[in-house]
Amino acid sequence: MVVFDDERKEKEFVEIKQREEEELIKFLAEKHGLPYANLATIAVENDALQLLPEAEARTAKIALFAINGRKVSAAIFTPNTLEVQAALKKLETAEYQVELYMASTRSLEKVWGHYKELSHAQESYAGTVDMSINAIKEAAKNIKHLLDVVPEIDAVVISKTQNRITRLVEVILGAAIALDASDIHIEPEEKHAKLRFRLDGILHPVTLFDRVTYGMMNSRIKILSGLKLNLKNEAQDGRFSVDLGDTKIEVRTSILPGSYGESIVLRLLDPKSISVPLEDLGMHEVLLDVVEREILKPNGMILTTGPTGSGKTTTLYAFLRKVHVPGVKIITIEDPVEYHLEGITQTQVEVEKKYTFANGLRSALRQDPDVIMVGEIRDAETASIAINASLTGHLVFSTLHTNNAAGTFPRLVDLGVNPKIIVSAITIAMAQRLVRKLCKICREEKPIPEIDEKRIEAVLKTMPKIIPIPQKEKYWTAKGCDKCNNIGYVGRTGVYEAILADSFIEKIVRENPSEREIAAVAAMQGIPNMQQDGILKVLTGVTSLQELERVINLE
């Protein structure tokens, strides 16, 4: 009696068909000059898979299975279809180098099966993290304070899902956006890695990661930012964006090698943070009147100075929005372009392509602009061109590295600018710092103690006579509540000083003066300096004396 095992026969038939298909694909791969790949034994990298949506991949019969920096390995069933060419074009447009292989439908199905492991179903493409409006609303709902971040992160870290690292990066980004953090710092140490958020200019610890989790996060962030995964001994800079639906937040990535690994800093460039009207920057009304008058002039140069993170870019963009009216041509040269303004021509410095501030400024002048913004005057060539531009009918905005407004003039002389034309070119030189604003909900009013009263009084004695003193008996200190993450401060405001280039300044600049001598002459203009502006903000409860002293020397 013969017994037929139908199930075994069916299995053998399927195996034969699969072998035949693999042999056919090997033959076709050789015919097309492409390598053959059997993906049955190859680990699929989800970071590569999510560069194309599942529906698009299945239609084109293409499977992305590995990624290394900007190189993506892709398996295809046939190379000549329109759908395949469209998918490859999309990847090339996103600046990915595609390494093509030919594979069977069985191999492709194995890769496509990993789509269910991805953390989100919406389309995700190179250099962009798609986060829906609902996802951000959920983050904002669950994460209102720094203490809320840890449980959210811990829940992802201890999960066993295959996409936990992708999800972890999303949670960290979502939390930072919900808390209005300007930077995310991931810093490896001997036994763990530290996560910190910068809120209102101050770094706050969030949590610690184990070294294994840190390593996988490092790779994920590099992939998102278009950086080299295997490069660990050199600094790298990259970028990607977080799409919130109604707005897009640019993320600048900085990787720096250290003793225990690579330090990662993600700078979040939220368009809303730069869209501060000139009137809301925190300038004293005397200075605001001067600035509004000067930026309406058809030519001249306005310089703002201060250290990194002092709000210079926000100030320059406020100037641009103020003068941006129909009929005015505005060109910017920036390094890099941090925020995009509609209706303004913005260009970015690229040293590798020999497009420097100086070269960019020369090119911009050939476009016949009315207003030019130069991100920074770094060298003699840029300084000379910018000065000449302001003397030939252009309004120029720029920044310079000095500690105060008085230092602007000696710095330009050091860069080789003729002292006789400096004051003719410059209309106003400004300096600024950022101080945190006291939380209006929990700030505490206190009588001023004697030790602080003496320091405040010393500054008030130098106050221009035209500036009224609000009161001198009390000030406010930080306490902390739920509304301010128990920090005591919410948001920041500027502390400013400025020097007008009048005839008195012109006379002294020609004599190679010190900063102190320039400041003494400028005091007659009646514009508060940074110490005086800061003390006025202390006496009106805008900030605390302790916070002011953190950024300004009152001695």
Side-chain angles (χ1 to χ4, degrees), residues 40-111:
T41 58
I42 295 178
V44 176
E45 297 180 21
N46 287 348
D47 290 329
L49 189 69
Q50 65 180 4
L51 295 180
L52 285 176
E54 181 177 3
E56 189 174 326
R58 286 182 178 275
T59 300
K61 291 190 176 181
I62 184 171
L64 309 182
F65 61 90
I67 186 168
N68 184 6
R70 307 301 289 181
K71 291 184 178 180
V72 180
S73 298
I76 56 175
F77 185 72
T78 179
N80 297 321
T81 67
L82 294 176
E83 292 82 2
V84 165
Q85 295 305 316
L88 295 177
K89 181 68 174 176
K90 180 177 181 179
L91 292 169
E92 290 169 3
T93 301
E95 299 183 354
Y96 279 90
Q97 299 175 18
V98 183
E99 296 177 338
L100 273 183
Y101 298 81
M102 286 191 68
S104 65
T105 53
R106 178 191 177 204
S107 285
L108 299 181
E109 288 287 355
K110 186 252 186 180
V111 176

Side-chain angles (χ1 to χ4, degrees), residues 351-362:
V351 179
E352 298 81 6
K353 298 181 180 179
K354 296 184 179 180
Y355 186 74
T356 62
F357 278 117
N359 292 337
L361 191 47
R362 284 197 195 92

Side-chain angles (χ1 to χ4, degrees), residues 34 363 485:
L34 293 173
S363 300
N485 276 305

Side-chain angles (χ1 to χ4, degrees), residues 5-78:
D5 189 340
D6 292 339
E7 186 176 340
R8 183 171 61 84
K9 290 291 185 182
E10 180 68 25
K11 184 178 180 181
E12 289 176 353
F13 178 74
V14 170
E15 289 175 352
I16 291 171
K17 293 288 289 183
Q18 288 174 348
R19 282 197 300 269
E20 288 178 348
E21 185 183 14
E22 296 298 337
E23 291 299 324
L24 176 62
I25 291 297
K26 283 182 184 179
F27 171 76
L28 292 175
E30 186 176 349
K31 180 181 177 181
H32 288 288
L34 293 173
Y36 159 79
N38 184 347
L39 304 181
T41 58
I42 295 178
V44 176
E45 297 180 21
N46 287 348
D47 290 329
L49 189 69
Q50 65 180 4
L51 295 180
L52 285 176
E54 181 177 3
E56 189 174 326
R58 286 182 178 275
T59 300
K61 291 190 176 181
I62 184 171
L64 309 182
F65 61 90
I67 186 168
N68 184 6
R70 307 301 289 181
K71 291 184 178 180
V72 180
S73 298
I76 56 175
F77 185 72
T78 179

Side-chain angles (χ1 to χ4, degrees), residues 81-188:
T81 67
L82 294 176
E83 292 82 2
V84 165
Q85 295 305 316
L88 295 177
K89 181 68 174 176
K90 180 177 181 179
L91 292 169
E92 290 169 3
T93 301
E95 299 183 354
Y96 279 90
Q97 299 175 18
V98 183
E99 296 177 338
L100 273 183
Y101 298 81
M102 286 191 68
S104 65
T105 53
R106 178 191 177 204
S107 285
L108 299 181
E109 288 287 355
K110 186 252 186 180
V111 176
W112 294 334
H114 284 258
Y115 272 107
K116 63 179 179 293
E117 298 172 359
L118 296 182
S119 61
H120 45 70
Q122 70 262 35
E123 180 180 347
S124 181
Y125 51 92
T128 300
V129 179
D130 283 327
M131 300 180 73
S132 68
I133 297 174
N134 290 335
I136 290 300
K137 286 181 178 178
E138 182 181 350
K141 179 181 178 181
N142 297 334
I143 301 173
K144 295 184 180 296
H145 309 287
L146 270 172
L147 295 177
D148 298 334
V149 181
V150 179
E152 293 286 325
I153 289 177
D154 286 348
V156 177
V157 171
I158 64 176
S159 69
K160 301 299 182 182
T161 58
Q162 298 232 3
N163 66 326
R164 71 184 184 93
I165 298 302
T166 297
R167 179 59 185 155
L168 181 58
V169 173
E170 290 175 350
V171 168
I172 291 172
L173 285 169
I177 292 169
L179 294 173
D180 288 328
S182 60
D183 301 271
I184 300 168
H185 291 245
I186 304 171
E187 301 154 327

